[in-house]
Structure formats: structure tokens, C-alpha cells
mmCIF file of all heavy atoms in Angstrom:
data_model
loop_
_atom_site.group_PDB
_atom_site.id
_atom_site.type_symbol
_atom_site.label_atom_id
_atom_site.label_comp_id
_atom_site.label_asym_id
_atom_site.label_seq_id
_atom_site.Cartn_x
_atom_site.Cartn_y
_atom_site.Cartn_z
ATOM 1 N N ALA A 1248 29.671 -21.036 30.409
ATOM 2 C CA ALA A 1248 29.806 -21.656 29.088
ATOM 3 C C ALA A 1248 30.910 -22.698 29.043
ATOM 4 O O ALA A 1248 31.076 -23.383 28.043
ATOM 5 C CB ALA A 1248 30.073 -20.581 28.037
ATOM 6 N N GLU A 1249 31.670 -22.856 30.108
ATOM 7 C CA GLU A 1249 32.759 -23.826 30.147
ATOM 8 C C GLU A 1249 32.189 -25.243 30.244
ATOM 9 O O GLU A 1249 31.191 -25.473 30.920
ATOM 10 C CB GLU A 1249 33.680 -23.567 31.336
ATOM 11 C CG GLU A 1249 34.393 -22.240 31.278
ATOM 12 C CD GLU A 1249 35.321 -22.137 30.084
ATOM 13 O OE1 GLU A 1249 36.009 -23.125 29.777
ATOM 14 O OE2 GLU A 1249 35.349 -21.061 29.462
ATOM 15 N N PRO A 1250 32.811 -26.211 29.566
ATOM 16 C CA PRO A 1250 32.358 -27.592 29.685
ATOM 17 C C PRO A 1250 32.555 -28.116 31.103
ATOM 18 O O PRO A 1250 33.546 -27.795 31.748
ATOM 19 C CB PRO A 1250 33.227 -28.359 28.693
ATOM 20 C CG PRO A 1250 34.337 -27.455 28.330
ATOM 21 C CD PRO A 1250 33.937 -26.065 28.671
ATOM 22 N N VAL A 1251 31.614 -28.907 31.568
ATOM 23 C CA VAL A 1251 31.697 -29.484 32.905
ATOM 24 C C VAL A 1251 32.684 -30.648 32.913
ATOM 25 O O VAL A 1251 33.428 -30.851 33.860
ATOM 26 C CB VAL A 1251 30.303 -29.958 33.375
ATOM 27 C CG1 VAL A 1251 30.383 -30.660 34.709
ATOM 28 C CG2 VAL A 1251 29.353 -28.783 33.432
ATOM 29 N N CYS A 1252 32.701 -31.400 31.835
ATOM 30 C CA CYS A 1252 33.561 -32.570 31.720
ATOM 31 C C CYS A 1252 34.471 -32.402 30.508
ATOM 32 O O CYS A 1252 34.004 -32.045 29.431
ATOM 33 C CB CYS A 1252 32.698 -33.816 31.535
ATOM 34 S SG CYS A 1252 33.627 -35.272 31.080
ATOM 35 N N VAL A 1253 35.755 -32.660 30.666
ATOM 36 C CA VAL A 1253 36.681 -32.550 29.539
ATOM 37 C C VAL A 1253 37.539 -33.808 29.379
ATOM 38 O O VAL A 1253 38.616 -33.773 28.801
ATOM 39 C CB VAL A 1253 37.579 -31.294 29.645
ATOM 40 C CG1 VAL A 1253 36.761 -30.026 29.469
ATOM 41 C CG2 VAL A 1253 38.339 -31.278 30.952
ATOM 42 N N PHE A 1254 37.054 -34.942 29.892
ATOM 43 C CA PHE A 1254 37.754 -36.219 29.769
ATOM 44 C C PHE A 1254 36.747 -37.318 29.446
ATOM 45 O O PHE A 1254 35.591 -37.265 29.884
ATOM 46 C CB PHE A 1254 38.477 -36.575 31.076
ATOM 47 C CG PHE A 1254 39.499 -35.573 31.486
ATOM 48 C CD1 PHE A 1254 39.225 -34.652 32.480
ATOM 49 C CD2 PHE A 1254 40.736 -35.533 30.864
ATOM 50 C CE1 PHE A 1254 40.165 -33.718 32.853
ATOM 51 C CE2 PHE A 1254 41.679 -34.591 31.234
ATOM 52 C CZ PHE A 1254 41.397 -33.676 32.234
ATOM 53 N N ASN A 1255 37.186 -38.334 28.716
ATOM 54 C CA ASN A 1255 36.297 -39.454 28.393
ATOM 55 C C ASN A 1255 35.825 -40.194 29.630
ATOM 56 O O ASN A 1255 34.750 -40.789 29.633
ATOM 57 C CB ASN A 1255 36.990 -40.434 27.440
ATOM 58 C CG ASN A 1255 37.082 -39.869 26.043
ATOM 59 O OD1 ASN A 1255 36.298 -39.011 25.652
ATOM 60 N ND2 ASN A 1255 38.038 -40.350 25.287
ATOM 61 N N SER A 1256 36.591 -40.152 30.706
ATOM 62 C CA SER A 1256 36.218 -40.870 31.921
ATOM 63 C C SER A 1256 34.956 -40.322 32.577
ATOM 64 O O SER A 1256 34.268 -41.047 33.287
ATOM 65 C CB SER A 1256 37.372 -40.850 32.916
ATOM 66 O OG SER A 1256 37.692 -39.524 33.269
ATOM 67 N N CYS A 1257 34.626 -39.063 32.336
ATOM 68 C CA CYS A 1257 33.417 -38.500 32.939
ATOM 69 C C CYS A 1257 32.344 -38.169 31.899
ATOM 70 O O CYS A 1257 31.231 -37.809 32.249
ATOM 71 C CB CYS A 1257 33.747 -37.249 33.751
ATOM 72 S SG CYS A 1257 34.432 -35.898 32.786
ATOM 73 N N ALA A 1258 32.680 -38.292 30.624
ATOM 74 C CA ALA A 1258 31.722 -37.972 29.560
ATOM 75 C C ALA A 1258 30.644 -39.043 29.467
ATOM 76 O O ALA A 1258 30.879 -40.212 29.763
ATOM 77 C CB ALA A 1258 32.447 -37.850 28.232
ATOM 78 N N SER A 1259 29.482 -38.636 29.038
ATOM 79 C CA SER A 1259 28.392 -39.590 28.865
ATOM 80 C C SER A 1259 28.007 -39.658 27.390
ATOM 81 O O SER A 1259 28.473 -38.883 26.575
ATOM 82 C CB SER A 1259 27.194 -39.211 29.727
ATOM 83 O OG SER A 1259 26.728 -37.930 29.381
ATOM 84 N N SER A 1260 27.159 -40.636 27.069
ATOM 85 C CA SER A 1260 26.785 -40.839 25.672
ATOM 86 C C SER A 1260 25.382 -41.416 25.573
ATOM 87 O O SER A 1260 24.798 -41.843 26.571
ATOM 88 C CB SER A 1260 27.771 -41.784 24.987
ATOM 89 O OG SER A 1260 27.720 -43.060 25.595
ATOM 90 N N VAL A 1261 24.876 -41.406 24.361
ATOM 91 C CA VAL A 1261 23.608 -42.061 24.044
ATOM 92 C C VAL A 1261 23.883 -43.056 22.926
ATOM 93 O O VAL A 1261 24.835 -42.909 22.169
ATOM 94 C CB VAL A 1261 22.508 -41.058 23.624
ATOM 95 C CG1 VAL A 1261 22.134 -40.150 24.777
ATOM 96 C CG2 VAL A 1261 22.946 -40.233 22.435
ATOM 97 N N THR A 1262 23.055 -44.079 22.839
ATOM 98 C CA THR A 1262 23.263 -45.152 21.881
ATOM 99 C C THR A 1262 22.060 -45.302 20.975
ATOM 100 O O THR A 1262 20.923 -45.247 21.437
ATOM 101 C CB THR A 1262 23.510 -46.482 22.628
ATOM 102 O OG1 THR A 1262 24.631 -46.304 23.504
ATOM 103 C CG2 THR A 1262 23.796 -47.609 21.681
ATOM 104 N N ALA A 1263 22.336 -45.495 19.691
ATOM 105 C CA ALA A 1263 21.295 -45.794 18.704
ATOM 106 C C ALA A 1263 21.642 -47.131 18.072
ATOM 107 O O ALA A 1263 22.769 -47.342 17.623
ATOM 108 C CB ALA A 1263 21.232 -44.712 17.635
ATOM 109 N N VAL A 1264 20.684 -48.047 18.053
ATOM 110 C CA VAL A 1264 20.894 -49.383 17.494
ATOM 111 C C VAL A 1264 20.101 -49.507 16.202
ATOM 112 O O VAL A 1264 18.936 -49.129 16.137
ATOM 113 C CB VAL A 1264 20.451 -50.469 18.492
ATOM 114 C CG1 VAL A 1264 20.527 -51.848 17.867
ATOM 115 C CG2 VAL A 1264 21.298 -50.409 19.748
ATOM 116 N N VAL A 1265 20.776 -50.032 15.168
ATOM 117 C CA VAL A 1265 20.130 -50.266 13.877
ATOM 118 C C VAL A 1265 20.277 -51.742 13.543
ATOM 119 O O VAL A 1265 21.396 -52.257 13.463
ATOM 120 C CB VAL A 1265 20.772 -49.401 12.765
ATOM 121 C CG1 VAL A 1265 20.132 -49.703 11.422
ATOM 122 C CG2 VAL A 1265 20.667 -47.931 13.110
ATOM 123 N N GLN A 1266 19.154 -52.418 13.391
ATOM 124 C CA GLN A 1266 19.152 -53.835 13.015
ATOM 125 C C GLN A 1266 18.661 -53.914 11.579
ATOM 126 O O GLN A 1266 17.516 -53.637 11.285
ATOM 127 C CB GLN A 1266 18.209 -54.621 13.932
ATOM 128 C CG GLN A 1266 18.176 -56.101 13.668
ATOM 129 C CD GLN A 1266 19.420 -56.819 14.176
ATOM 130 O OE1 GLN A 1266 19.863 -56.588 15.272
ATOM 131 N NE2 GLN A 1266 19.964 -57.693 13.357
ATOM 132 N N GLY A 1267 19.568 -54.270 10.677
ATOM 133 C CA GLY A 1267 19.233 -54.325 9.261
ATOM 134 C C GLY A 1267 18.972 -55.745 8.790
ATOM 135 O O GLY A 1267 19.016 -56.698 9.580
ATOM 136 N N PRO A 1268 18.738 -55.911 7.510
ATOM 137 C CA PRO A 1268 18.512 -57.245 6.965
ATOM 138 C C PRO A 1268 19.812 -58.060 6.950
ATOM 139 O O PRO A 1268 20.908 -57.508 7.087
ATOM 140 C CB PRO A 1268 18.017 -56.963 5.545
ATOM 141 C CG PRO A 1268 18.594 -55.632 5.201
ATOM 142 C CD PRO A 1268 18.664 -54.867 6.497
ATOM 143 N N ASP A 1269 19.683 -59.336 6.793
ATOM 144 C CA ASP A 1269 20.843 -60.243 6.686
ATOM 145 C C ASP A 1269 21.779 -60.166 7.883
ATOM 146 O O ASP A 1269 23.000 -60.132 7.741
ATOM 147 C CB ASP A 1269 21.625 -59.976 5.394
ATOM 148 C CG ASP A 1269 20.770 -60.164 4.152
ATOM 149 O OD1 ASP A 1269 19.913 -61.065 4.160
ATOM 150 O OD2 ASP A 1269 20.962 -59.396 3.193
ATOM 151 N N ASN A 1270 21.217 -60.099 9.079
ATOM 152 C CA ASN A 1270 22.010 -60.065 10.324
ATOM 153 C C ASN A 1270 22.999 -58.906 10.375
ATOM 154 O O ASN A 1270 24.121 -59.055 10.828
ATOM 155 C CB ASN A 1270 22.747 -61.383 10.539
ATOM 156 C CG ASN A 1270 21.806 -62.527 10.815
ATOM 157 O OD1 ASN A 1270 20.774 -62.333 11.455
ATOM 158 N ND2 ASN A 1270 22.137 -63.704 10.340
ATOM 159 N N ASP A 1271 22.601 -57.760 9.898
ATOM 160 C CA ASP A 1271 23.437 -56.557 9.951
ATOM 161 C C ASP A 1271 23.029 -55.759 11.188
ATOM 162 O O ASP A 1271 21.970 -55.145 11.231
ATOM 163 C CB ASP A 1271 23.242 -55.724 8.683
ATOM 164 C CG ASP A 1271 24.117 -54.484 8.664
ATOM 165 O OD1 ASP A 1271 25.172 -54.492 9.318
ATOM 166 O OD2 ASP A 1271 23.739 -53.514 7.992
ATOM 167 N N TYR A 1272 23.875 -55.779 12.207
ATOM 168 C CA TYR A 1272 23.611 -55.102 13.471
ATOM 169 C C TYR A 1272 24.654 -54.004 13.650
ATOM 170 O O TYR A 1272 25.849 -54.243 13.495
ATOM 171 C CB TYR A 1272 23.719 -56.097 14.634
ATOM 172 C CG TYR A 1272 23.507 -55.490 15.986
ATOM 173 C CD1 TYR A 1272 22.242 -55.415 16.540
ATOM 174 C CD2 TYR A 1272 24.572 -54.996 16.725
ATOM 175 C CE1 TYR A 1272 22.043 -54.864 17.798
ATOM 176 C CE2 TYR A 1272 24.391 -54.439 17.971
ATOM 177 C CZ TYR A 1272 23.121 -54.382 18.500
ATOM 178 O OH TYR A 1272 22.935 -53.828 19.735
ATOM 179 N N ARG A 1273 24.196 -52.789 13.974
ATOM 180 C CA ARG A 1273 25.108 -51.667 14.227
ATOM 181 C C ARG A 1273 24.652 -50.902 15.460
ATOM 182 O O ARG A 1273 23.464 -50.655 15.632
ATOM 183 C CB ARG A 1273 25.178 -50.724 13.035
ATOM 184 C CG ARG A 1273 25.781 -51.411 11.828
ATOM 185 C CD ARG A 1273 25.934 -50.509 10.671
ATOM 186 N NE ARG A 1273 26.370 -51.289 9.523
ATOM 187 C CZ ARG A 1273 27.060 -50.800 8.548
ATOM 188 N NH1 ARG A 1273 27.404 -49.534 8.539
ATOM 189 N NH2 ARG A 1273 27.422 -51.569 7.537
ATOM 190 N N ARG A 1274 25.635 -50.549 16.287
ATOM 191 C CA ARG A 1274 25.354 -49.765 17.485
ATOM 192 C C ARG A 1274 26.201 -48.498 17.397
ATOM 193 O O ARG A 1274 27.435 -48.548 17.373
ATOM 194 C CB ARG A 1274 25.707 -50.584 18.725
ATOM 195 C CG ARG A 1274 25.384 -49.904 20.017
ATOM 196 C CD ARG A 1274 25.476 -50.791 21.248
ATOM 197 N NE ARG A 1274 26.501 -51.811 21.159
ATOM 198 C CZ ARG A 1274 26.313 -53.080 21.554
ATOM 199 N NH1 ARG A 1274 25.154 -53.471 22.021
ATOM 200 N NH2 ARG A 1274 27.310 -53.949 21.464
ATOM 201 N N TYR A 1275 25.529 -47.349 17.319
ATOM 202 C CA TYR A 1275 26.186 -46.046 17.201
ATOM 203 C C TYR A 1275 26.137 -45.360 18.568
ATOM 204 O O TYR A 1275 25.081 -45.284 19.181
ATOM 205 C CB TYR A 1275 25.479 -45.161 16.178
ATOM 206 C CG TYR A 1275 25.485 -45.724 14.779
ATOM 207 C CD1 TYR A 1275 24.448 -46.546 14.326
ATOM 208 C CD2 TYR A 1275 26.517 -45.435 13.893
ATOM 209 C CE1 TYR A 1275 24.450 -47.064 13.043
ATOM 210 C CE2 TYR A 1275 26.518 -45.939 12.601
ATOM 211 C CZ TYR A 1275 25.491 -46.751 12.188
ATOM 212 O OH TYR A 1275 25.498 -47.255 10.912
ATOM 213 N N LYS A 1276 27.282 -44.833 19.008
ATOM 214 C CA LYS A 1276 27.316 -44.085 20.261
ATOM 215 C C LYS A 1276 27.686 -42.637 19.960
ATOM 216 O O LYS A 1276 28.643 -42.370 19.241
ATOM 217 C CB LYS A 1276 28.328 -44.690 21.234
ATOM 218 C CG LYS A 1276 27.884 -46.040 21.755
ATOM 219 C CD LYS A 1276 28.819 -46.547 22.834
ATOM 220 C CE LYS A 1276 28.342 -47.920 23.293
ATOM 221 N NZ LYS A 1276 29.209 -48.467 24.329
ATOM 222 N N PHE A 1277 26.892 -41.737 20.530
ATOM 223 C CA PHE A 1277 27.089 -40.309 20.356
ATOM 224 C C PHE A 1277 27.305 -39.668 21.719
ATOM 225 O O PHE A 1277 26.616 -39.996 22.685
ATOM 226 C CB PHE A 1277 25.855 -39.661 19.699
ATOM 227 C CG PHE A 1277 25.598 -40.142 18.316
ATOM 228 C CD1 PHE A 1277 24.787 -41.239 18.082
ATOM 229 C CD2 PHE A 1277 26.168 -39.496 17.224
ATOM 230 C CE1 PHE A 1277 24.537 -41.693 16.794
ATOM 231 C CE2 PHE A 1277 25.928 -39.930 15.933
ATOM 232 C CZ PHE A 1277 25.113 -41.038 15.720
ATOM 233 N N GLY A 1278 28.248 -38.746 21.784
ATOM 234 C CA GLY A 1278 28.490 -38.031 23.026
ATOM 235 C C GLY A 1278 27.366 -37.064 23.333
ATOM 236 O O GLY A 1278 26.723 -36.530 22.433
ATOM 237 N N ASN A 1279 27.129 -36.838 24.624
ATOM 238 C CA ASN A 1279 26.130 -35.839 25.007
ATOM 239 C C ASN A 1279 26.585 -35.017 26.213
ATOM 240 O O ASN A 1279 25.772 -34.540 26.985
ATOM 241 C CB ASN A 1279 24.759 -36.479 25.254
ATOM 242 C CG ASN A 1279 24.722 -37.418 26.434
ATOM 243 O OD1 ASN A 1279 25.736 -37.693 27.056
ATOM 244 N ND2 ASN A 1279 23.547 -37.915 26.747
ATOM 245 N N SER A 1280 27.902 -34.842 26.334
ATOM 246 C CA SER A 1280 28.433 -33.983 27.386
ATOM 247 C C SER A 1280 28.658 -32.582 26.808
ATOM 248 O O SER A 1280 29.372 -32.411 25.822
ATOM 249 C CB SER A 1280 29.755 -34.545 27.927
ATOM 250 O OG SER A 1280 29.514 -35.744 28.616
ATOM 251 N N TYR A 1281 28.062 -31.612 27.444
ATOM 252 C CA TYR A 1281 28.037 -30.229 26.976
ATOM 253 C C TYR A 1281 29.422 -29.706 26.628
ATOM 254 O O TYR A 1281 30.350 -29.777 27.424
ATOM 255 C CB TYR A 1281 27.395 -29.349 28.054
ATOM 256 C CG TYR A 1281 27.426 -27.876 27.761
ATOM 257 C CD1 TYR A 1281 26.650 -27.351 26.741
ATOM 258 C CD2 TYR A 1281 28.219 -27.025 28.502
ATOM 259 C CE1 TYR A 1281 26.669 -25.994 26.465
ATOM 260 C CE2 TYR A 1281 28.242 -25.668 28.242
ATOM 261 C CZ TYR A 1281 27.464 -25.160 27.217
ATOM 262 O OH TYR A 1281 27.492 -23.823 26.955
ATOM 263 N N ARG A 1282 29.571 -29.231 25.413
ATOM 264 C CA ARG A 1282 30.774 -28.598 24.871
ATOM 265 C C ARG A 1282 32.016 -29.475 24.912
ATOM 266 O O ARG A 1282 33.128 -28.979 24.778
ATOM 267 C CB ARG A 1282 31.052 -27.265 25.549
ATOM 268 C CG ARG A 1282 29.981 -26.249 25.240
ATOM 269 C CD ARG A 1282 30.377 -24.871 25.589
ATOM 270 N NE ARG A 1282 31.438 -24.422 24.669
ATOM 271 C CZ ARG A 1282 32.201 -23.386 24.869
ATOM 272 N NH1 ARG A 1282 32.060 -22.668 25.962
ATOM 273 N NH2 ARG A 1282 33.118 -23.045 24.006
ATOM 274 N N TYR A 1283 31.862 -30.771 25.131
ATOM 275 C CA TYR A 1283 33.000 -31.687 25.072
ATOM 276 C C TYR A 1283 32.833 -32.632 23.889
ATOM 277 O O TYR A 1283 33.573 -32.579 22.931
ATOM 278 C CB TYR A 1283 33.157 -32.457 26.381
ATOM 279 C CG TYR A 1283 34.236 -33.497 26.317
ATOM 280 C CD1 TYR A 1283 35.563 -33.125 26.165
ATOM 281 C CD2 TYR A 1283 33.936 -34.848 26.378
ATOM 282 C CE1 TYR A 1283 36.570 -34.069 26.075
ATOM 283 C CE2 TYR A 1283 34.937 -35.800 26.293
ATOM 284 C CZ TYR A 1283 36.246 -35.413 26.148
ATOM 285 O OH TYR A 1283 37.226 -36.356 26.045
ATOM 286 N N ASN A 1284 31.837 -33.486 23.947
ATOM 287 C CA ASN A 1284 31.594 -34.425 22.844
ATOM 288 C C ASN A 1284 30.136 -34.397 22.392
ATOM 289 O O ASN A 1284 29.669 -35.306 21.727
ATOM 290 C CB ASN A 1284 32.010 -35.839 23.232
ATOM 291 C CG ASN A 1284 31.156 -36.421 24.336
ATOM 292 O OD1 ASN A 1284 30.230 -35.791 24.840
ATOM 293 N ND2 ASN A 1284 31.466 -37.634 24.735
ATOM 294 N N GLU A 1285 29.446 -33.354 22.728
ATOM 295 C CA GLU A 1285 28.014 -33.221 22.460
ATOM 296 C C GLU A 1285 27.696 -33.378 20.972
ATOM 297 O O GLU A 1285 28.187 -32.624 20.141
ATOM 298 C CB GLU A 1285 27.542 -31.854 22.954
ATOM 299 C CG GLU A 1285 26.068 -31.615 22.838
ATOM 300 C CD GLU A 1285 25.682 -30.277 23.441
ATOM 301 O OE1 GLU A 1285 26.537 -29.378 23.540
ATOM 302 O OE2 GLU A 1285 24.516 -30.125 23.792
ATOM 303 N N GLY A 1286 26.912 -34.418 20.647
ATOM 304 C CA GLY A 1286 26.470 -34.648 19.281
ATOM 305 C C GLY A 1286 27.484 -35.327 18.380
ATOM 306 O O GLY A 1286 27.198 -35.596 17.214
#
């Protein structure tokens, strides 16, 4: 149950991009390293 990674240097993430009206661009990054930054 211990996290494999406990530092940002080894943590991974996923990205969600939202392109809205009027040139509104947003890129959201979410962690996905188990028990470190997951979600």
C-alpha cells in the first residue's frame, strides 16, 4: 500500500484541455501516481 513515488520528479500526470469561446484555452493537469498525487 506504500506509494511508489513520493517526489514530483518521478510523479506522472494526465492532462485535460478545454477550449472555450472567445479564445479561452485552459489546460488542467491531474496527478496519477498512486497514493502521492493521484486525482
